[in-house]
Amino acid sequence: MLQLNNISKNFAGLPALCQVSFQVPQGQLTALIGPNGAGKSTLINCITGVAPCSSGRISFDQTDITALPAHAITRLGIQRTFQNLRLFPRLSVLDNVLTGLTCEGGSSLFMAMLRLPYLRHRERRLKLRALEALDRYGLTAKAHWPAGVLAYGDKKRVELARATVGNPRLLVLDEPVAGLNAEETCVVAEHLRQLRRNGQTIVLVEHDMDLVMNAADQVVVLDSGQCIASGTPESVQRNPMVLEAYLGRMEATA
Amino acid sequence: MTSIQRLLYFLTLHRTGLAVCMVSLGALLFPVLDDNPYTLGLSHLVAINTLVVLGLNLFIGYAGQISLGHATFFGLGAYGSAIISTTWAVSPWLSLILVALCVALLALVIGIPVLRLSGHYLAMATLGLNFVVYTILIQWDEVTGGPSGFAGIPALSCADFVFDTPVRQHYLLWAFALGAMLLMLNLVRSGVGRGLAAVAGDEIAASSLGVNTQAAKVKIFVLSAVLASLAGSLFAHSFGYISPDTFGIFASTDFVIMVVVGGMGSIWGAAFGAAFLTLLPEWMDIFDTYKDLVHGGILVLVLMFLPQGLVTGLMDMLKIRWALRRHNASA
């Protein structure tokens, strides 16, 4: 579904990604792992158009999205979450989730100002969907809170709700359980499995190996900006290159 | 549901519409209670400033940008309408629309390159624009009348009904102000409005949610310029006389202060800020002499203690307080 061919990204000459290629098959959960600084978040930023890549080609359903701006890529059906939360603290939780439906909310300034009946009905439908999403993530009671005062775990779930509410064709999650405790991690893992069962295509960046090995269909390992392995969780766990990337480093620092 | 619950539900469901009706009723009845021409003159100014501040508030509070040059569009609207209707003897309504279209075009041409800037640079660019236009208004005196101003601008009229008395002008100006307010309230409650609020909050997140941030900023800039131009034309046609001093950089900063006092991203706050700063000198004589000093002081105080603006800041505090109290009550 998503295909990456020889993606490279340089920051002022410093290579962050070098010739990365892999595919994300439809309806499967692809996990992207690697040590800190391996280029995982950079790769996600390249895919979603936040930081366009320096060379290579990214195609999504046979459409070339390499040079498209972020909003155009989102309109093709790719939604993401951020590692460092990017909620809108002053908006209510419900409005935060509603911003995830921006693509369906119309873009005509003029029609929005007139607020004709069709627009009112559409607003009501979108609100209903946002409330359903909040219900899935157990946030209904806090729907009218300003998002800024929520606890960290709740904020993470609001981001998940915001990314999934529009039923994107591809969901890109950047460390959805980072900073959560074991209990909260279990809840998020269950949400991921539920999404996967419903046929959602997911790219997951995560450090939590239990979560990755249990949930992923395919694992891609990055190290120092290069793709060093990909395959099923079992085959990646046995791959000597991967062991070296993780364990070799541990020896060096121990 | 009991009848009281039903009533409360109705009130919350239609709160925006009901509030607009209440304000409209107030504006409708005001001349009946007080038809002193001086007081009505003040209410005209409040309506005109509200019109400008509504647009600017959208630009600052929703699109998250800063403009220190909105008096430019206000001035272009006033002078454009004055010149077209007086010198060229075109009907005032037509000149009002023509000027609004020209200003929209100008804002588009200026906005596309200038809105690539942000923060201080954008403030400087808009300030520069204001200086350029102000200088033209003063120096090009065969067309604009120069420093002595432009007099004898015809009033607006519908067939034989001329808006030449203060009471008639009151209704005309408030019809425009409240109409614009209704449109803005509709806008911010729509998907487009949420997209704009997202741009103000975090541009990267907004673009990842599918908002074309650059286009959104330019659109709002053009919209606010058109509102300012309309306000300027109405100002010219109802007061009959304009001079460049009304459209200098201090006018621009006053508009920004009105937005800040009202609160970023609050439509009701825009009307409050416009009314508050227009009426302030009337309540205390000292404010007239040291106007700029007092305005600067207000700006500093509000930004220090409530960076979101007075009305919005207080509302945010209330909302958080309310949410936490409900949470503690249920826990």
Side-chain angles (χ1 to χ4, degrees):
Chain A
M1 184 176 212
L2 182 76
Q3 197 152 15
L4 290 90
N5 282 325
N6 300 325
I7 301 302
S8 298
K9 169 82 186 168
N10 302 325
F11 288 111
L14 194 75
L17 289 174
C18 185
Q19 307 280 319
V20 177
S21 306
F22 65 90
Q23 287 189 27
V24 176
Q26 176 141 22
Q28 295 200 352
L29 196 157
T30 303
L32 200 57
I33 62 171
N36 284 324
K40 303 182 296 292
S41 292
T42 310
L43 185 59
I44 284 197
N45 286 341
C46 288
I47 295 173
T48 53
V50 172
C53 56
S54 315
S55 68
R57 189 188 138 94
I58 307 173
S59 53
F60 178 63
D61 265 2
Q62 278 84 49
T63 317
D64 185 3
I65 61 167
T66 321
L68 290 182
H71 62 88
I73 292 177
T74 307
R75 286 194 182 267
L76 288 175
I78 301 183
Q79 281 281 4
R80 67 169 294 181
T81 65
F82 291 89
Q83 182 181 357
N84 311 317
L85 295 162
R86 283 188 189 268
L87 291 178
F88 308 113
R90 284 187 52 222
L91 298 187
S92 72
V93 171
L94 179 63
D95 279 341
N96 264 287
V97 176
L98 275 169
T99 57
L101 292 165
T102 302
C103 299
E104 291 164 59
S107 61
S108 163
L109 205 63
F110 193 65
M111 294 321 273
M113 286 199 283
L114 293 181
R115 202 176 168 85
L116 298 175
Y118 88 92
L119 200 135
R120 260 175 242 226
H121 293 308
R122 189 171 67 195
E123 280 295 300
R124 225 166 282 165
R125 273 200 310 275
L126 295 183
K127 201 169 167 180
L128 208 62
R129 275 173 63 187
L131 283 170
E132 275 170 13
L134 281 178
D135 189 42
R136 270 201 300 281
Y137 291 93
L139 290 160
T140 311
K142 295 171 183 169
H144 294 288
W145 287 35
V149 300
L150 290 182
Y152 184 76
D154 286 343
K155 283 184 184 168
K156 279 274 186 194
R157 280 186 292 158
V158 176
E159 269 222 349
L160 265 178
R162 184 175 74 181
T164 52
V165 66
N167 298 324
R169 289 160 66 201
L170 173 67
L171 182 63
V172 181
L173 304 173
D174 197 352
E175 305 205 7
V177 301
L180 298 186
N181 63 29
E183 195 181 330
E184 289 168 327
T185 305
C186 279
V187 176
V188 173
E190 186 48 46
H191 285 311
L192 288 186
R193 275 191 285 272
Q194 183 67 46
L195 285 168
R196 167 74 184 76
R197 273 199 294 277
N198 295 342
Q200 174 77 60
T201 314
I202 304 176
V203 172
L204 170 74
V205 168
E206 193 44 75
H207 278 299
D208 188 315
M209 285 305 144
D210 286 341
L211 178 67
V212 167
M213 294 307 163
N214 283 328
D217 298 294
Q218 181 200 359
V219 178
V220 176
V221 190
L222 284 183
D223 184 33
S224 313
Q226 283 175 321
C227 178
I228 56 170
S230 66
T232 60
E234 295 77 28
S235 73
V236 164
Q237 270 172 319
R238 286 194 300 270
N239 188 317
M241 297 267 285
V242 178
L243 291 178
E244 194 188 304
Y246 275 90
L247 299 178
R249 197 156 304 224
M250 271 165 66
E251 274 171 5
T253 53
Chain B
M1 262 202 279
T2 66
S3 56
I4 291 181
Q5 272 174 327
R6 207 171 293 168
L7 180 70
L8 282 176
Y9 178 71
F10 180 81
L11 288 181
T12 39
L13 191 67
H14 296 286
R15 57 191 182 279
T16 313
L18 288 170
V20 172
C21 288
M22 296 282 284
V23 176
S24 310
L25 199 67
L28 199 66
L29 292 179
F30 184 73
V32 181
L33 303 173
D34 187 352
D35 60 356
N36 177 353
Y38 180 73
T39 335
L40 284 175
L42 281 178
S43 97
H44 297 172
L45 270 183
V46 172
I48 287 167
N49 284 337
T50 304
L51 211 50
V52 181
V53 174
L54 276 173
L56 187 60
N57 179 46
L58 210 60
F59 186 62
I60 295 180
Y62 272 87
Q65 308 301 304
I66 178 76
S67 166
L68 289 179
H70 258 57
T72 315
F73 304 118
F74 187 48
L76 285 176
Y79 269 93
S81 207
I83 291 164
I84 295 177
S85 63
T86 316
T87 317
W88 299 354
V90 175
S91 124
W93 285 114
L94 193 61
S95 61
L96 180 139
I97 293 166
L98 273 177
V99 168
L101 288 177
C102 292
V103 167
L105 203 64
L106 179 77
L108 186 70
V109 171
I110 293 173
I112 289 173
V114 161
L115 288 172
R116 292 181 179 277
L117 305 172
S118 62
H120 306 311
Y121 302 103
L122 182 59
M124 292 310 288
T126 48
L127 194 65
L129 177 69
N130 205 157
F131 264 116
V132 170
V133 171
Y134 180 68
T135 312
I136 293 174
L137 292 185
I138 290 220
Q139 298 292 335
W140 198 12
D141 48 9
E142 59 265 36
V143 175
T144 64
S148 51
F150 196 115
I153 305 159
L156 289 161
S157 61
C158 280
D160 290 342
F161 189 85
V162 185
F163 293 97
D164 51 359
T165 67
V167 176
R168 288 177 180 184
Q169 286 172 354
H170 172 90
Y171 287 123
L172 174 75
L173 294 174
W174 277 102
F176 267 92
L178 288 168
M181 197 162 184
L182 193 63
L183 292 183
M184 295 305 122
L185 283 167
N186 284 345
L187 176 63
V188 303
R189 288 184 297 156
S190 71
V192 180
R194 280 191 303 272
L196 289 172
V199 174
D202 186 334
E203 280 192 33
I204 291 181
S207 63
S208 294
L209 291 165
V211 184
N212 187 345
T213 51
Q214 194 61 28
K217 286 191 267 184
V218 173
K219 274 187 200 166
I220 293 304
F221 188 64
V222 171
L223 179 65
S224 68
V226 167
L227 281 177
S229 155
L230 270 182
S233 302
L234 290 170
F235 179 81
H237 289 300
S238 30
F239 288 83
Y241 167 78
I242 47 178
S243 80
D245 283 336
T246 324
F247 313 111
I249 55 156
F250 280 108
S252 283
T253 46
D254 277 354
F255 289 137
V256 173
I257 296 172
M258 288 174 193
V259 171
V260 168
V261 167
M264 326 272 181
S266 159
I267 301 299
W268 296 108
F272 172 79
F276 183 76
L277 278 184
T278 313
L279 299 178
L280 198 62
E282 305 306 318
W283 294 328
M284 281 172 244
D285 291 337
I286 191 166
F287 282 129
D288 218 14
T289 326
Y290 300 106
K291 182 165 158 270
D292 295 329
L293 195 69
V294 172
H295 283 193
I298 292 175
L299 184 64
V300 170
L301 282 178
V302 171
L303 286 183
M304 267 174 73
F305 294 107
L306 290 166
Q308 291 301 337
L310 200 62
V311 174
T312 322
L314 290 175
M315 287 295 284
D316 278 4
M317 264 159 66
L318 271 179
K319 269 186 208 163
I320 291 174
R321 201 55 74 73
W322 185 65
L324 291 181
R325 209 176 61 194
R326 285 235 311 212
H327 180 63
N328 291 339
S330 67

